[in-house]
Amino acid sequence: MQRMLIRLFGLCPLVVVYAVMGLVIPFYMLFANGFRASYDFYRKRMGYGPLRSFLGVYLNEFNLGMVVLDRFAAYAGKRFRFEIEGEAHFRGLLQQPEGFVMIGSHFGNHEMAGYFIKSEGKRINALVFSGETQTVMEGRSGRFGATNVRMIPIAEDMSHIFAMNAALADGEILSVAGDRCFGSEKIIRCPFFGQEASFPMGLFRLAVQRDVPMVALFVTKESVNGYKVWVDPLPPAGGDSRDERMRSLCAAYAALLEKRVRQYPHQWYNFYDFWA
Amino acid sequence: MEELIKELKTKVIDVLNLEGMTPEDIDDNAPIFGDQGLGLDSIDVLELLILLEKNYGIRLTSPMEGKEVFQSFAVIARYVAEHRTK
């Protein structure tokens, strides 16, 4: 199925595939598990009315569909346009000898960052879910090979922990999603859209212990062929204790994520009760 | 060696926030991981890696090495004594 999609993009304009997908989504919405959580997000967090919230769920699913299709289009060789906001800061971090943590999110199309980033000698190590299919892994490897991106799958034997630590010790870039708790029960509760929500502790603890900078990267879909990359630096960790420093970083990330989600409310893809 | 074991236990208790625990509460030869261990998870492994690197200049690079070293405090202390660079 995924290989067929990749072949399809060689033959068919992206906009046609989007249109077909748009017709299918209402049926998908009827059966999707995340409908309630998504609807509640627009009602309770964004303060939309019922109809606007329902439309919000549709647009959210539609955007998710587009970014998934775009990934396969990219594997098929399609080139997208990128506009970058905050590039100077990113270049500045690349010039430093130490590594840094680049926080991604289930927002926009973070994977696209791997196609445009020129990391100038600093390898990017992206922590990925190990359940990805072979086709996806091959597609990424094919494209990422040119941009110095290495994928680190989360593994039972904790090899990802050793690889993450080594990446930062060697002055490389570590890319991890900051808005999904997995692999460890350790979390940080931080204010997000007016109520405390859980964020994974690991990446903030690692950044504090290794004393490396953190930067949030958001990649938003702007048009059929265009993406915008937002480079949002996190302020240095504040506080006396390790826990305070971790919390300050997590709170800074949560605030940045909220700002971007408010700006692009249909491009955040967490279809469960994030505040549970 | 006993002093090093105690030093390691103190550092681990501190870095992993094992509240209410003292070095004397931990058996030198008890397994660190598993059901009878200290209830550590992957993030704690990360802390142990950084602790060894920052305090003793020891860098473990593979899970095989980690498994070999993080068996008990007695094993960690032996490894540290043999491989430390600071």
Side-chain angles (χ1 to χ4, degrees):
Chain A
M1 172 70 180
Q2 292 173 337
R3 288 189 190 283
M4 271 174 59
L5 263 179
I6 293 173
R7 274 200 291 273
L8 177 69
F9 289 116
L11 307 166
C12 195
L14 204 46
V15 71
V16 174
V17 188
Y18 288 166
V20 173
M21 179 193 68
L23 296 174
V24 176
I25 282 178
F27 300 98
Y28 175 76
M29 277 168 64
L30 291 175
F31 303 104
N33 285 332
F35 177 85
R36 187 78 229 179
S38 187
Y39 180 83
D40 283 349
F41 168 73
Y42 294 109
R43 283 287 282 148
K44 293 181 190 168
R45 310 293 164 192
M46 295 299 296
Y48 292 176
L51 196 62
R52 195 175 173 201
S53 296
F54 190 81
L55 184 66
V57 179
Y58 176 85
L59 292 173
N60 196 204
E61 297 281 3
F62 188 75
N63 273 295
L64 176 62
M66 283 198 294
V67 300
V68 170
L69 291 172
D70 285 0
R71 282 183 205 164
F72 287 99
Y75 301 157
K78 177 171 173 54
R79 304 279 168 189
F80 290 90
R81 266 193 327 272
F82 291 99
E83 186 192 333
I84 308 169
E85 189 85 16
E87 191 176 8
H89 180 80
F90 192 75
R91 298 275 153 241
L93 286 174
L94 291 176
Q95 303 307 315
Q96 304 298 320
E98 80 246 35
F100 61 91
V101 178
M102 193 166 83
I103 317 179
S105 310
H106 293 82
F107 173 79
N109 198 351
H110 186 72
E111 185 172 318
M112 283 290 167
Y115 302 136
F116 84 92
I117 285 177
K118 304 277 187 299
S119 58
E120 293 161 12
K122 265 193 199 302
R123 182 164 64 173
I124 299 169
N125 300 267
L127 188 70
V128 294
F129 173 56
S130 54
E132 299 276 27
T133 66
Q134 194 63 24
T135 311
V136 170
M137 294 296 261
E138 282 169 10
R140 278 188 191 142
S141 298
R143 295 298 311 277
F144 286 172
T147 49
N148 205 9
V149 178
R150 174 178 72 149
M151 282 170 288
I152 303 175
I154 296 169
E156 279 279 318
D157 69 356
M158 298 193 194
S159 53
H160 59 288
I161 296 294
F162 289 80
M164 286 162 69
N165 185 49
L168 289 178
D170 292 337
E172 298 180 348
I173 305 166
L174 178 65
S175 171
V176 190
D179 61 347
R180 188 78 55 89
C181 300
F182 54 86
S184 168
E185 289 172 5
K186 293 193 169 64
I187 52 151
I188 302 178
R189 297 285 289 176
C190 256
F192 185 57
F193 278 88
Q195 194 183 323
E196 290 211 326
S198 300
F199 291 87
M201 182 188 285
L203 70 163
F204 301 104
R205 199 151 148 183
L206 181 57
V208 166
Q209 292 297 71
R210 295 220 71 99
D211 196 21
V212 293
M214 296 187 98
V215 62
L217 209 75
F218 301 106
V219 185
T220 51
K221 186 155 177 72
E222 302 288 324
S223 63
V224 173
N225 298 307
Y227 278 93
K228 185 158 185 172
V229 182
W230 306 83
V231 180
D232 287 330
L234 269 68
D240 296 327
S241 70
R242 181 193 63 178
D243 281 6
E244 282 173 0
R245 289 198 290 276
M246 259 176 1
R247 284 183 187 285
S248 81
L249 287 174
C250 184
Y253 165 69
L256 285 171
L257 177 63
E258 180 173 335
K259 178 181 157 189
R260 294 298 172 209
V261 173
R262 285 192 186 280
Q263 199 177 350
Y264 296 88
H266 305 114
Q267 295 200 35
W268 189 49
Y269 314 116
N270 267 323
F271 299 96
Y272 61 95
D273 183 4
F274 197 77
W275 291 263
Chain B
M1 189 62 77
E2 270 184 22
E3 221 167 86
L4 181 56
I5 292 176
K6 190 173 178 189
E7 179 185 305
L8 280 163
K9 285 180 185 173
T10 308
K11 285 186 191 303
V12 169
I13 287 169
D14 175 50
V15 86
L16 299 184
N17 275 342
L18 301 175
E19 283 169 12
M21 201 172 253
T22 65
E24 290 72 33
D25 295 334
I26 309 169
D27 186 329
D28 294 359
N29 297 297
I32 291 177
F33 290 94
D35 293 342
Q36 279 120 40
L38 299 173
L40 309 185
D41 71 3
S42 56
I43 294 176
D44 299 317
V45 172
L46 198 53
E47 292 280 10
L48 295 180
L49 293 178
I50 296 171
L51 186 152
L52 289 187
E53 191 181 327
K54 281 189 174 172
N55 291 279
Y56 307 105
I58 292 172
R59 201 168 146 191
L60 302 181
T61 53
S62 75
M64 294 291 282
E65 249 183 325
K67 218 172 178 176
E68 201 183 300
V69 178
F70 297 137
Q71 287 183 43
S72 66
F73 278 95
V75 175
I76 301 176
R78 261 202 309 277
Y79 190 87
V80 168
E82 286 168 18
H83 296 86
R84 67 189 301 171
T85 57
K86 58 180 178 185

PDB file of all heavy atoms in Angstrom, chain B residues 42-72:
ATOM      1  N   SER B  42      14.567   3.496  31.823  1.00  0.00           N
ATOM      2  CA  SER B  42      15.531   3.920  30.805  1.00  0.00           C
ATOM      3  C   SER B  42      16.148   5.297  31.102  1.00  0.00           C
ATOM      4  O   SER B  42      17.327   5.524  30.833  1.00  0.00           O
ATOM      5  CB  SER B  42      14.863   3.932  29.427  1.00  0.00           C
ATOM      6  OG  SER B  42      13.718   4.752  29.450  1.00  0.00           O
ATOM      7  N   ILE B  43      15.349   6.202  31.664  1.00  0.00           N
ATOM      8  CA  ILE B  43      15.889   7.538  31.952  1.00  0.00           C
ATOM      9  C   ILE B  43      16.945   7.460  33.051  1.00  0.00           C
ATOM     10  O   ILE B  43      17.940   8.189  33.045  1.00  0.00           O
ATOM     11  CB  ILE B  43      14.763   8.511  32.348  1.00  0.00           C
ATOM     12  CG1 ILE B  43      13.864   8.727  31.136  1.00  0.00           C
ATOM     13  CG2 ILE B  43      15.321   9.848  32.813  1.00  0.00           C
ATOM     14  CD1 ILE B  43      12.663   9.580  31.400  1.00  0.00           C
ATOM     15  N   ASP B  44      16.731   6.529  33.987  1.00  0.00           N
ATOM     16  CA  ASP B  44      17.719   6.353  35.057  1.00  0.00           C
ATOM     17  C   ASP B  44      19.038   5.808  34.492  1.00  0.00           C
ATOM     18  O   ASP B  44      20.115   6.155  34.977  1.00  0.00           O
ATOM     19  CB  ASP B  44      17.168   5.420  36.135  1.00  0.00           C
ATOM     20  CG  ASP B  44      15.907   5.987  36.776  1.00  0.00           C
ATOM     21  OD1 ASP B  44      15.903   7.194  37.058  1.00  0.00           O
ATOM     22  OD2 ASP B  44      14.948   5.238  36.953  1.00  0.00           O
ATOM     23  N   VAL B  45      18.926   4.959  33.473  1.00  0.00           N
ATOM     24  CA  VAL B  45      20.149   4.445  32.824  1.00  0.00           C
ATOM     25  C   VAL B  45      20.949   5.611  32.253  1.00  0.00           C
ATOM     26  O   VAL B  45      22.169   5.686  32.371  1.00  0.00           O
ATOM     27  CB  VAL B  45      19.796   3.427  31.704  1.00  0.00           C
ATOM     28  CG1 VAL B  45      21.033   3.037  30.912  1.00  0.00           C
ATOM     29  CG2 VAL B  45      19.148   2.190  32.306  1.00  0.00           C
ATOM     30  N   LEU B  46      20.206   6.533  31.650  1.00  0.00           N
ATOM     31  CA  LEU B  46      20.836   7.729  31.089  1.00  0.00           C
ATOM     32  C   LEU B  46      21.599   8.492  32.173  1.00  0.00           C
ATOM     33  O   LEU B  46      22.744   8.922  31.978  1.00  0.00           O
ATOM     34  CB  LEU B  46      19.724   8.616  30.523  1.00  0.00           C
ATOM     35  CG  LEU B  46      20.050   9.700  29.536  1.00  0.00           C
ATOM     36  CD1 LEU B  46      20.841   9.150  28.379  1.00  0.00           C
ATOM     37  CD2 LEU B  46      18.766  10.330  29.028  1.00  0.00           C
ATOM     38  N   GLU B  47      20.984   8.627  33.329  1.00  0.00           N
ATOM     39  CA  GLU B  47      21.630   9.316  34.453  1.00  0.00           C
ATOM     40  C   GLU B  47      22.892   8.573  34.892  1.00  0.00           C
ATOM     41  O   GLU B  47      23.907   9.192  35.200  1.00  0.00           O
ATOM     42  CB  GLU B  47      20.666   9.423  35.640  1.00  0.00           C
ATOM     43  CG  GLU B  47      19.484  10.338  35.409  1.00  0.00           C
ATOM     44  CD  GLU B  47      19.838  11.808  35.592  1.00  0.00           C
ATOM     45  OE1 GLU B  47      21.032  12.139  35.716  1.00  0.00           O
ATOM     46  OE2 GLU B  47      18.914  12.632  35.585  1.00  0.00           O
ATOM     47  N   LEU B  48      22.800   7.242  34.943  1.00  0.00           N
ATOM     48  CA  LEU B  48      23.969   6.460  35.355  1.00  0.00           C
ATOM     49  C   LEU B  48      25.109   6.640  34.355  1.00  0.00           C
ATOM     50  O   LEU B  48      26.279   6.763  34.738  1.00  0.00           O
ATOM     51  CB  LEU B  48      23.608   4.970  35.470  1.00  0.00           C
ATOM     52  CG  LEU B  48      22.593   4.595  36.559  1.00  0.00           C
ATOM     53  CD1 LEU B  48      22.332   3.094  36.554  1.00  0.00           C
ATOM     54  CD2 LEU B  48      23.084   5.025  37.933  1.00  0.00           C
ATOM     55  N   LEU B  49      24.781   6.676  33.065  1.00  0.00           N
ATOM     56  CA  LEU B  49      25.813   6.871  32.030  1.00  0.00           C
ATOM     57  C   LEU B  49      26.515   8.215  32.232  1.00  0.00           C
ATOM     58  O   LEU B  49      27.744   8.307  32.171  1.00  0.00           O
ATOM     59  CB  LEU B  49      25.186   6.833  30.628  1.00  0.00           C
ATOM     60  CG  LEU B  49      24.596   5.508  30.154  1.00  0.00           C
ATOM     61  CD1 LEU B  49      23.968   5.668  28.777  1.00  0.00           C
ATOM     62  CD2 LEU B  49      25.675   4.439  30.106  1.00  0.00           C
ATOM     63  N   ILE B  50      25.705   9.255  32.455  1.00  0.00           N
ATOM     64  CA  ILE B  50      26.278  10.601  32.622  1.00  0.00           C
ATOM     65  C   ILE B  50      27.091  10.682  33.913  1.00  0.00           C
ATOM     66  O   ILE B  50      28.163  11.287  33.946  1.00  0.00           O
ATOM     67  CB  ILE B  50      25.160  11.674  32.581  1.00  0.00           C
ATOM     68  CG1 ILE B  50      24.495  11.666  31.200  1.00  0.00           C
ATOM     69  CG2 ILE B  50      25.710  13.058  32.884  1.00  0.00           C
ATOM     70  CD1 ILE B  50      23.246  12.520  31.090  1.00  0.00           C
ATOM     71  N   LEU B  51      26.595  10.015  34.955  1.00  0.00           N
ATOM     72  CA  LEU B  51      27.303  10.005  36.241  1.00  0.00           C
ATOM     73  C   LEU B  51      28.706   9.401  36.081  1.00  0.00           C
ATOM     74  O   LEU B  51      29.699   9.968  36.547  1.00  0.00           O
ATOM     75  CB  LEU B  51      26.480   9.197  37.248  1.00  0.00           C
ATOM     76  CG  LEU B  51      26.936   9.167  38.700  1.00  0.00           C
ATOM     77  CD1 LEU B  51      25.711   8.955  39.605  1.00  0.00           C
ATOM     78  CD2 LEU B  51      27.927   8.070  39.001  1.00  0.00           C
ATOM     79  N   LEU B  52      28.788   8.266  35.404  1.00  0.00           N
ATOM     80  CA  LEU B  52      30.096   7.620  35.222  1.00  0.00           C
ATOM     81  C   LEU B  52      31.024   8.491  34.377  1.00  0.00           C
ATOM     82  O   LEU B  52      32.223   8.589  34.639  1.00  0.00           O
ATOM     83  CB  LEU B  52      29.932   6.249  34.544  1.00  0.00           C
ATOM     84  CG  LEU B  52      29.311   5.130  35.376  1.00  0.00           C
ATOM     85  CD1 LEU B  52      29.371   3.804  34.632  1.00  0.00           C
ATOM     86  CD2 LEU B  52      30.015   4.985  36.725  1.00  0.00           C
ATOM     87  N   GLU B  53      30.434   9.125  33.355  1.00  0.00           N
ATOM     88  CA  GLU B  53      31.245   9.948  32.451  1.00  0.00           C
ATOM     89  C   GLU B  53      31.772  11.209  33.160  1.00  0.00           C
ATOM     90  O   GLU B  53      32.965  11.514  33.075  1.00  0.00           O
ATOM     91  CB  GLU B  53      30.380  10.344  31.246  1.00  0.00           C
ATOM     92  CG  GLU B  53      31.168  10.968  30.115  1.00  0.00           C
ATOM     93  CD  GLU B  53      30.253  11.366  28.968  1.00  0.00           C
ATOM     94  OE1 GLU B  53      29.244  10.673  28.727  1.00  0.00           O
ATOM     95  OE2 GLU B  53      30.557  12.386  28.325  1.00  0.00           O
ATOM     96  N   LYS B  54      30.884  11.886  33.883  1.00  0.00           N
ATOM     97  CA  LYS B  54      31.278  13.153  34.517  1.00  0.00           C
ATOM     98  C   LYS B  54      32.215  12.949  35.699  1.00  0.00           C
ATOM     99  O   LYS B  54      33.121  13.733  35.926  1.00  0.00           O
ATOM    100  CB  LYS B  54      30.032  13.912  34.997  1.00  0.00           C
ATOM    101  CG  LYS B  54      29.324  14.643  33.873  1.00  0.00           C
ATOM    102  CD  LYS B  54      28.240  15.542  34.440  1.00  0.00           C
ATOM    103  CE  LYS B  54      27.617  16.389  33.343  1.00  0.00           C
ATOM    104  NZ  LYS B  54      26.457  17.129  33.828  1.00  0.00           N
ATOM    105  N   ASN B  55      31.956  11.913  36.491  1.00  0.00           N
ATOM    106  CA  ASN B  55      32.724  11.725  37.727  1.00  0.00           C
ATOM    107  C   ASN B  55      33.984  10.894  37.557  1.00  0.00           C
ATOM    108  O   ASN B  55      34.948  11.082  38.285  1.00  0.00           O
ATOM    109  CB  ASN B  55      31.839  11.075  38.787  1.00  0.00           C
ATOM    110  CG  ASN B  55      30.752  12.016  39.261  1.00  0.00           C
ATOM    111  OD1 ASN B  55      30.997  12.868  40.096  1.00  0.00           O
ATOM    112  ND2 ASN B  55      29.566  11.882  38.685  1.00  0.00           N
ATOM    113  N   TYR B  56      33.948   9.954  36.617  1.00  0.00           N
ATOM    114  CA  TYR B  56      35.088   9.022  36.515  1.00  0.00           C
ATOM    115  C   TYR B  56      35.691   8.955  35.104  1.00  0.00           C
ATOM    116  O   TYR B  56      36.601   8.169  34.871  1.00  0.00           O
ATOM    117  CB  TYR B  56      34.646   7.613  36.956  1.00  0.00           C
ATOM    118  CG  TYR B  56      33.993   7.622  38.324  1.00  0.00           C
ATOM    119  CD1 TYR B  56      32.619   7.496  38.465  1.00  0.00           C
ATOM    120  CD2 TYR B  56      34.764   7.805  39.481  1.00  0.00           C
ATOM    121  CE1 TYR B  56      32.013   7.538  39.715  1.00  0.00           C
ATOM    122  CE2 TYR B  56      34.165   7.848  40.737  1.00  0.00           C
ATOM    123  CZ  TYR B  56      32.799   7.718  40.845  1.00  0.00           C
ATOM    124  OH  TYR B  56      32.212   7.772  42.085  1.00  0.00           O
ATOM    125  N   GLY B  57      35.144   9.761  34.186  1.00  0.00           N
ATOM    126  CA  GLY B  57      35.679   9.764  32.821  1.00  0.00           C
ATOM    127  C   GLY B  57      35.451   8.461  32.085  1.00  0.00           C
ATOM    128  O   GLY B  57      36.186   8.115  31.157  1.00  0.00           O
ATOM    129  N   ILE B  58      34.410   7.738  32.482  1.00  0.00           N
ATOM    130  CA  ILE B  58      34.125   6.443  31.835  1.00  0.00           C
ATOM    131  C   ILE B  58      32.934   6.602  30.902  1.00  0.00           C
ATOM    132  O   ILE B  58      31.877   7.082  31.321  1.00  0.00           O
ATOM    133  CB  ILE B  58      33.807   5.359  32.890  1.00  0.00           C
ATOM    134  CG1 ILE B  58      35.070   5.045  33.689  1.00  0.00           C
ATOM    135  CG2 ILE B  58      33.265   4.095  32.231  1.00  0.00           C
ATOM    136  CD1 ILE B  58      34.827   4.141  34.875  1.00  0.00           C
ATOM    137  N   ARG B  59      33.108   6.203  29.661  1.00  0.00           N
ATOM    138  CA  ARG B  59      32.012   6.344  28.705  1.00  0.00           C
ATOM    139  C   ARG B  59      31.564   4.970  28.217  1.00  0.00           C
ATOM    140  O   ARG B  59      32.324   4.279  27.526  1.00  0.00           O
ATOM    141  CB  ARG B  59      32.480   7.207  27.537  1.00  0.00           C
ATOM    142  CG  ARG B  59      31.328   7.810  26.808  1.00  0.00           C
ATOM    143  CD  ARG B  59      31.791   8.876  25.868  1.00  0.00           C
ATOM    144  NE  ARG B  59      30.925   8.847  24.702  1.00  0.00           N
ATOM    145  CZ  ARG B  59      31.153   9.492  23.594  1.00  0.00           C
ATOM    146  NH1 ARG B  59      32.230  10.230  23.469  1.00  0.00           N
ATOM    147  NH2 ARG B  59      30.313   9.408  22.592  1.00  0.00           N
ATOM    148  N   LEU B  60      30.370   4.571  28.578  1.00  0.00           N
ATOM    149  CA  LEU B  60      29.821   3.296  28.099  1.00  0.00           C
ATOM    150  C   LEU B  60      29.039   3.584  26.826  1.00  0.00           C
ATOM    151  O   LEU B  60      28.236   4.513  26.787  1.00  0.00           O
ATOM    152  CB  LEU B  60      28.900   2.674  29.143  1.00  0.00           C
ATOM    153  CG  LEU B  60      29.517   2.386  30.521  1.00  0.00           C
ATOM    154  CD1 LEU B  60      28.488   1.747  31.446  1.00  0.00           C
ATOM    155  CD2 LEU B  60      30.721   1.481  30.396  1.00  0.00           C
ATOM    156  N   THR B  61      29.291   2.798  25.797  1.00  0.00           N
ATOM    157  CA  THR B  61      28.695   3.141  24.505  1.00  0.00           C
ATOM    158  C   THR B  61      27.681   2.122  23.981  1.00  0.00           C
ATOM    159  O   THR B  61      27.014   2.394  22.992  1.00  0.00           O
ATOM    160  CB  THR B  61      29.790   3.323  23.440  1.00  0.00           C
ATOM    161  OG1 THR B  61      30.614   2.158  23.447  1.00  0.00           O
ATOM    162  CG2 THR B  61      30.637   4.552  23.710  1.00  0.00           C
ATOM    163  N   SER B  62      27.575   0.971  24.614  1.00  0.00           N
ATOM    164  CA  SER B  62      26.616  -0.013  24.082  1.00  0.00           C
ATOM    165  C   SER B  62      25.815  -0.644  25.210  1.00  0.00           C
ATOM    166  O   SER B  62      26.283  -0.724  26.356  1.00  0.00           O
ATOM    167  CB  SER B  62      27.352  -1.109  23.321  1.00  0.00           C
ATOM    168  OG  SER B  62      27.986  -1.996  24.230  1.00  0.00           O
ATOM    169  N   PRO B  63      24.594  -1.120  24.898  1.00  0.00           N
ATOM    170  CA  PRO B  63      23.777  -1.754  25.933  1.00  0.00           C
ATOM    171  C   PRO B  63      24.444  -3.007  26.495  1.00  0.00           C
ATOM    172  O   PRO B  63      24.241  -3.346  27.659  1.00  0.00           O
ATOM    173  CB  PRO B  63      22.464  -2.093  25.224  1.00  0.00           C
ATOM    174  CG  PRO B  63      22.654  -1.824  23.789  1.00  0.00           C
ATOM    175  CD  PRO B  63      23.887  -1.008  23.614  1.00  0.00           C
ATOM    176  N   MET B  64      25.265  -3.680  25.679  1.00  0.00           N
ATOM    177  CA  MET B  64      25.981  -4.871  26.158  1.00  0.00           C
ATOM    178  C   MET B  64      26.919  -4.489  27.308  1.00  0.00           C
ATOM    179  O   MET B  64      26.954  -5.140  28.345  1.00  0.00           O
ATOM    180  CB  MET B  64      26.814  -5.492  25.017  1.00  0.00           C
ATOM    181  CG  MET B  64      25.994  -6.063  23.895  1.00  0.00           C
ATOM    182  SD  MET B  64      25.108  -7.526  24.439  1.00  0.00           S
ATOM    183  CE  MET B  64      26.449  -8.698  24.387  1.00  0.00           C
ATOM    184  N   GLU B  65      27.646  -3.407  27.078  1.00  0.00           N
ATOM    185  CA  GLU B  65      28.568  -2.906  28.101  1.00  0.00           C
ATOM    186  C   GLU B  65      27.796  -2.514  29.364  1.00  0.00           C
ATOM    187  O   GLU B  65      28.202  -2.820  30.478  1.00  0.00           O
ATOM    188  CB  GLU B  65      29.270  -1.650  27.569  1.00  0.00           C
ATOM    189  CG  GLU B  65      30.744  -1.832  27.294  1.00  0.00           C
ATOM    190  CD  GLU B  65      31.344  -0.504  26.841  1.00  0.00           C
ATOM    191  OE1 GLU B  65      30.655   0.283  26.142  1.00  0.00           O
ATOM    192  OE2 GLU B  65      32.490  -0.258  27.190  1.00  0.00           O
ATOM    193  N   GLY B  66      26.665  -1.827  29.134  1.00  0.00           N
ATOM    194  CA  GLY B  66      25.839  -1.384  30.249  1.00  0.00           C
ATOM    195  C   GLY B  66      25.354  -2.555  31.081  1.00  0.00           C
ATOM    196  O   GLY B  66      25.381  -2.516  32.311  1.00  0.00           O
ATOM    197  N   LYS B  67      24.915  -3.598  30.393  1.00  0.00           N
ATOM    198  CA  LYS B  67      24.405  -4.792  31.071  1.00  0.00           C
ATOM    199  C   LYS B  67      25.498  -5.418  31.935  1.00  0.00           C
ATOM    200  O   LYS B  67      25.255  -5.894  33.035  1.00  0.00           O
ATOM    201  CB  LYS B  67      23.935  -5.790  30.013  1.00  0.00           C
ATOM    202  CG  LYS B  67      22.682  -6.536  30.398  1.00  0.00           C
ATOM    203  CD  LYS B  67      22.189  -7.340  29.217  1.00  0.00           C
ATOM    204  CE  LYS B  67      20.960  -8.130  29.605  1.00  0.00           C
ATOM    205  NZ  LYS B  67      20.396  -8.842  28.487  1.00  0.00           N
ATOM    206  N   GLU B  68      26.697  -5.391  31.392  1.00  0.00           N
ATOM    207  CA  GLU B  68      27.845  -5.998  32.082  1.00  0.00           C
ATOM    208  C   GLU B  68      28.215  -5.189  33.338  1.00  0.00           C
ATOM    209  O   GLU B  68      28.515  -5.757  34.381  1.00  0.00           O
ATOM    210  CB  GLU B  68      29.016  -5.978  31.095  1.00  0.00           C
ATOM    211  CG  GLU B  68      30.115  -6.967  31.385  1.00  0.00           C
ATOM    212  CD  GLU B  68      31.222  -6.775  30.357  1.00  0.00           C
ATOM    213  OE1 GLU B  68      30.951  -6.937  29.157  1.00  0.00           O
ATOM    214  OE2 GLU B  68      32.342  -6.424  30.770  1.00  0.00           O
ATOM    215  N   VAL B  69      28.138  -3.851  33.194  1.00  0.00           N
ATOM    216  CA  VAL B  69      28.595  -2.985  34.289  1.00  0.00           C
ATOM    217  C   VAL B  69      27.517  -2.752  35.351  1.00  0.00           C
ATOM    218  O   VAL B  69      27.800  -2.793  36.542  1.00  0.00           O
ATOM    219  CB  VAL B  69      29.082  -1.627  33.734  1.00  0.00           C
ATOM    220  CG1 VAL B  69      29.506  -0.692  34.860  1.00  0.00           C
ATOM    221  CG2 VAL B  69      30.224  -1.834  32.759  1.00  0.00           C
ATOM    222  N   PHE B  70      26.264  -2.515  34.889  1.00  0.00           N
ATOM    223  CA  PHE B  70      25.218  -2.157  35.849  1.00  0.00           C
ATOM    224  C   PHE B  70      24.553  -3.380  36.487  1.00  0.00           C
ATOM    225  O   PHE B  70      23.335  -3.456  36.592  1.00  0.00           O
ATOM    226  CB  PHE B  70      24.152  -1.281  35.173  1.00  0.00           C
ATOM    227  CG  PHE B  70      24.670   0.033  34.668  1.00  0.00           C
ATOM    228  CD1 PHE B  70      24.292   0.526  33.425  1.00  0.00           C
ATOM    229  CD2 PHE B  70      25.553   0.789  35.436  1.00  0.00           C
ATOM    230  CE1 PHE B  70      24.773   1.735  32.948  1.00  0.00           C
ATOM    231  CE2 PHE B  70      26.040   2.004  34.969  1.00  0.00           C
ATOM    232  CZ  PHE B  70      25.659   2.478  33.718  1.00  0.00           C
ATOM    233  N   GLN B  71      25.351  -4.334  36.906  1.00  0.00           N
ATOM    234  CA  GLN B  71      24.784  -5.530  37.543  1.00  0.00           C
ATOM    235  C   GLN B  71      24.508  -5.270  39.023  1.00  0.00           C
ATOM    236  O   GLN B  71      23.447  -5.589  39.535  1.00  0.00           O
ATOM    237  CB  GLN B  71      25.769  -6.691  37.417  1.00  0.00           C
ATOM    238  CG  GLN B  71      25.847  -7.260  36.006  1.00  0.00           C
ATOM    239  CD  GLN B  71      26.790  -8.445  35.966  1.00  0.00           C
ATOM    240  OE1 GLN B  71      26.773  -9.293  36.834  1.00  0.00           O
ATOM    241  NE2 GLN B  71      27.623  -8.498  34.941  1.00  0.00           N
ATOM    242  N   SER B  72      25.493  -4.748  39.696  1.00  0.00           N
ATOM    243  CA  SER B  72      25.355  -4.448  41.131  1.00  0.00           C
ATOM    244  C   SER B  72      26.365  -3.342  41.441  1.00  0.00           C
ATOM    245  O   SER B  72      27.237  -3.043  40.622  1.00  0.00           O
ATOM    246  CB  SER B  72      25.677  -5.686  41.966  1.00  0.00           C
ATOM    247  OG  SER B  72      27.054  -6.001  41.812  1.00  0.00           O
TER     248      SER B  72
END
